[in-house]
Amino acid sequence: MPLLSGKANKFKVDPPKIRIEKVTIERPAPPKPKPKPAARPSLSASARSSPVRRLSPKAPSASVASSVASSRAKSSSPYPSSADERRLDLQRKRKATTSASQRRSPASDRIEFDKDSDAEDDGWMDLDSHKRQRKGTSDSKSVDSNRKLRSARAYERKDERLQFIHAVDVASLEHKCVPIMGASKEDVAIELQYPTLQRREKFELVWGKDKIDAVEASIRIVRLVAETYLTDVEAEPFTNQNNGFIRRLEKASNRNIQDLAGFKAALREYNETLLALVEDGVVSKNLENLHDLPPHLAAFILDQIYDRTVAPKVELLSKYENGTDYVYGELLHPFITKILVEQAKMTSDQVFVDLGSGVGNVVLQAALEVGCESWGCEMMENACNLAEAQEKEFHARCLLWGVEPGEVHIERGDFRKNTSIHNALKRADVVLVNNKAFTSQLNDDLIRMFLDLKSGCKIISLKSFVADSKSSHNINDVGSTILEVEECTYPEGYVSWTNAGGQYYISTRK
């Protein structure tokens, strides 16, 4: 009986096995979702045939890039003897490599997996601008379609008289820096092409504490040029993950490799390839279709200016009197982008005024990133001197990068007594006052100045001009009468004097 009972139990277990087999038979059934992967090639194919590629007929493939560089390397001059001959040669090579370059281009891959691609127009610039906007700006930013970003002067001819501070002027062997990548003193010199017809900047491959890092700067400039000034197809020789200029520069400068010859060769080919695109009018045309400057590019240009003008003399800013209006502190780039671009939503046809503008950082950022008319006024002599140096370098750097900024006006002296500032305030759309350390008397004087502001003008400050409603008395009846105040919070890393976050206020003139 136990044996018979065991058999009975054994037969009772079999039915579940049969059901399990049925389940496994059902598993292969899901080949039905296969149409989805099949749809991707069709999307990719349509992307290849779309104007994303066809509107970039002058885009060089990697082979074209190397041939351009090698052909120029034969001459001691960085410029071709005949621009027409070079263009014909490039056209012949492009025809021979069109299909190959299209297959290798990363553009189709990015379009294929872009969830927003179905909603995009077919034009390459619309798609490219959209992608760049998402890369560099927040969703709250709207594009100012009226802004003309391209500097016509930068693409008309090379200005031999253009004066700017080369990196080598502040970071070199003469400044007691030491060679890197095993370079001898004779091999440290390099030059870098910007996306315009203007002169190349001179660097030295050296290291020094708090000095410009030529390797890092070179790689960042190449990447910024590829991201902002070129279409995906045109940028392939720059961004190709196997043998693009960026990859070669990073690999050659790796501390375990330190290939000086490879680094300089990649940089030389980058220079020649970019110059060819500039001379063909490709870069100028691309820039003409852009209306906003990515914040990370604006910040990089501003840092270039600061590193060459203010940083070498930054100790001059430490001389201030605590407890007075002569106190210095800076609002950093991300803070300004947030308040001017995202919150105030400034456009290029508006007016910005910075009262107590220091070395001019915010005035220059507003003119560069927004493209608006930008005013500033400072009374500390050392800060004024550095602001003037920054403004001079600012105009030269904008020309190097091919960008047309807004008008810049930086005034010296007490803004309470400056007629030009008073006139600008009457037209101002946004006023910035870093009044964190201002005396109460100066803040009261500012409120009286705000009586001249037009309705709707926004005042951004670090201390409110209206007394707290919870307090027992209102110390500023005028402020509460003419201003509506919104309290906001900034995160850590937004100001120069502390890493902590804090409060700021957006007051709107009634």
Side-chain angles (χ1 to χ4, degrees):
M1 290 299 293
L3 181 61
L4 183 59
S5 175
K7 286 182 179 180
N9 290 338
K10 188 174 182 181
F11 280 108
K12 287 180 181 179
V13 177
D14 286 339
K17 287 185 178 180
I18 295 172
R19 283 195 294 272
I20 290 172
E21 288 178 4
K22 287 181 180 180
V23 172
T24 54
I25 290 171
E26 290 176 359
R27 276 189 172 178
K32 292 180 180 179
K34 281 187 178 178
K36 284 187 178 178
R40 283 186 176 175
S42 64
L43 177 59
S44 179
S46 65
R48 289 192 186 99
S49 61
S50 73
V52 172
R53 281 197 170 79
R54 287 201 303 271
L55 288 180
S56 303
K58 296 184 179 181
S61 65
S63 60
V64 174
S66 60
S67 63
V68 172
S70 61
S71 63
R72 289 194 176 188
K74 296 176 182 177
S75 171
S76 58
S77 170
Y79 303 100
S81 58
S82 171
D84 292 333
E85 289 180 6
R86 180 178 50 73
R87 289 191 181 93
L88 290 173
D89 185 55
L90 280 174
Q91 288 172 0
R92 287 193 298 270
K93 291 175 181 176
R94 283 171 192 144
K95 288 178 181 178
T97 58
T98 297
S99 59
S101 66
Q102 287 183 351
R103 284 193 299 271
R104 288 194 304 269
S105 171
S108 60
D109 294 335
R110 286 199 282 271
I111 295 170
E112 180 178 339
F113 295 103
D114 189 344
K115 294 180 181 179
D116 298 330
S117 61
D118 293 339
E120 298 297 330
D121 294 331
D122 287 335
W124 70 264
M125 185 51 69
D126 290 337
L127 176 61
D128 217 39
S129 299
H130 179 68
K131 287 159 67 178
R132 289 191 180 99
Q133 182 181 342
R134 288 181 304 180
K135 186 185 299 182
T137 65
S138 70
D139 294 336
S140 60
K141 178 181 177 180
S142 57
V143 177
D144 178 9
S145 59
N146 292 322
R147 184 181 182 187
K148 305 299 181 183
L149 194 62
R150 183 181 70 93
S151 167
R153 179 186 165 199
Y155 296 97
E156 288 174 353
R157 60 181 178 82
K158 180 190 289 189
D159 186 351
E160 298 291 352
R161 297 177 299 174
L162 178 64
Q163 298 293 323
F164 60 92
I165 302 173
H166 292 263
V168 73
D169 295 328
V170 293
S172 66
L173 296 174
E174 291 185 4
H175 294 86
K176 299 181 180 180
C177 297
V178 296
I180 58 174
M181 298 177 66
S184 65
K185 293 182 179 180
E186 293 75 22
D187 292 332
V188 295
I190 60 172
E191 291 186 345
L192 198 64
Q193 178 73 39
Y194 284 91
T196 60
L197 291 172
Q198 305 312 310
R199 291 190 298 155
R200 294 174 182 172
E201 182 170 10
K202 298 177 181 179
F203 291 79
E204 283 190 3
L205 294 171
V206 295
W207 178 89
K209 185 179 179 182
D210 299 326
K211 299 293 185 181
I212 295 172
D213 185 334
V215 171
E216 180 186 357
S218 299
I219 295 173
R220 287 197 65 188
I221 290 170
V222 175
R223 181 175 284 110
L224 288 167
V225 168
E227 286 178 353
T228 309
Y229 292 79
L230 304 175
T231 66
D232 289 327
V233 177
E234 293 159 358
E236 197 218 345
F238 300 72
T239 60
N240 186 286
Q241 294 183 2
N242 295 320
N243 58 1
F245 300 135
I246 296 173
R247 171 62 179 154
R248 290 167 60 190
L249 290 170
E250 290 177 336
K251 183 177 179 181
S253 60
N254 184 285
R255 63 180 181 179
N256 295 323
I257 298 177
Q258 299 290 288
D259 180 7
L260 176 64
F263 185 89
K264 297 179 79 170
L267 198 59
R268 184 167 54 250
E269 290 180 37
Y270 155 80
N271 287 338
E272 302 299 337
T273 303
L274 179 58
L275 183 59
L277 291 169
V278 171
E279 291 182 336
D280 280 348
V282 173
V283 176
S284 176
K285 182 179 178 181
N286 291 348
L287 196 57
E288 194 169 0
N289 287 281
L290 293 179
H291 300 285
D292 66 327
L293 199 66
H296 63 285
L297 174 55
F300 182 79
I301 296 173
L302 294 168
D303 285 341
Q304 282 190 314
I305 298 165
Y306 189 95
D307 290 344
R308 289 157 176 76
T309 56
V310 179
K313 303 176 182 178
V314 71
E315 70 280 353
L316 296 176
L317 299 176
S318 62
K319 299 177 181 179
Y320 62 84
E321 300 175 35
N322 205 6
T324 70
D325 297 323
Y326 297 88
V327 179
Y328 184 76
E330 296 174 358
L331 307 185
L332 305 182
H333 301 320
F335 198 177
I336 302 307
T337 297
K338 181 176 180 62
I339 58 181
L340 297 190
V341 179
E342 298 176 17
Q343 291 183 299
K345 299 187 184 302
M346 288 199 73
T347 54
S348 56
D349 58 351
Q350 294 184 317
V351 179
F352 169 75
V353 180
D354 184 0
L355 299 176
S357 53
V359 298
N361 288 343
V362 181
V363 178
L364 300 181
Q365 184 171 350
L368 179 62
E369 190 170 345
V370 178
C372 62
E373 180 183 341
S374 190
W375 288 78
C377 189
E378 177 58 48
M379 63 192 305
M380 293 172 61
E381 183 178 0
N382 289 340
C384 288
N385 293 337
L386 293 174
E388 288 183 357
Q390 280 217 104
E391 183 182 357
K392 181 180 179 181
E393 184 70 10
F394 173 77
H395 292 295
R397 288 278 152 187
C398 287
L399 198 62
L400 287 179
W401 286 94
V403 175
E404 188 68 44
E407 293 181 20
V408 174
H409 306 273
I410 298 180
E411 299 284 323
R412 282 177 176 260
D414 189 337
F415 52 69
R416 292 172 293 186
K417 303 174 182 178
N418 189 293
T419 303
S420 297
I421 291 296
H422 279 272
N423 291 334
L425 283 173
K426 294 176 182 178
R427 300 183 294 113
D429 297 281
V430 177
V431 177
L432 174 66
V433 186
N434 181 2
N435 62 337
K436 185 73 172 179
F438 281 6
T439 61
S440 58
Q441 179 61 53
L442 182 54
N443 280 321
D444 287 342
D445 292 342
L446 281 168
I447 292 174
R448 284 188 284 273
M449 291 175 64
F450 295 158
L451 290 170
D452 291 333
L453 297 178
K454 64 185 181 183
S455 177
C457 177
K458 296 189 180 300
I459 305 160
I460 299 160
S461 61
L462 296 189
K463 186 184 292 185
S464 178
F465 289 104
V466 176
D468 189 343
S469 59
K470 297 179 182 179
S471 61
S472 57
H473 65 286
N474 193 337
I475 60 173
N476 261 319
D477 291 332
V478 177
S480 60
T481 301
I482 66 173
L483 301 175
E484 292 181 355
V485 183
E486 175 189 359
E487 181 176 342
C488 306
T489 301
Y490 63 84
E492 60 182 25
Y494 265 40
V495 297
S496 66
W497 57 87
T498 178
N499 193 46
Q503 278 67 47
Y504 66 102
Y505 302 86
I506 300 179
S507 305
T508 304
R509 180 71 165 88
K510 295 179 182 178

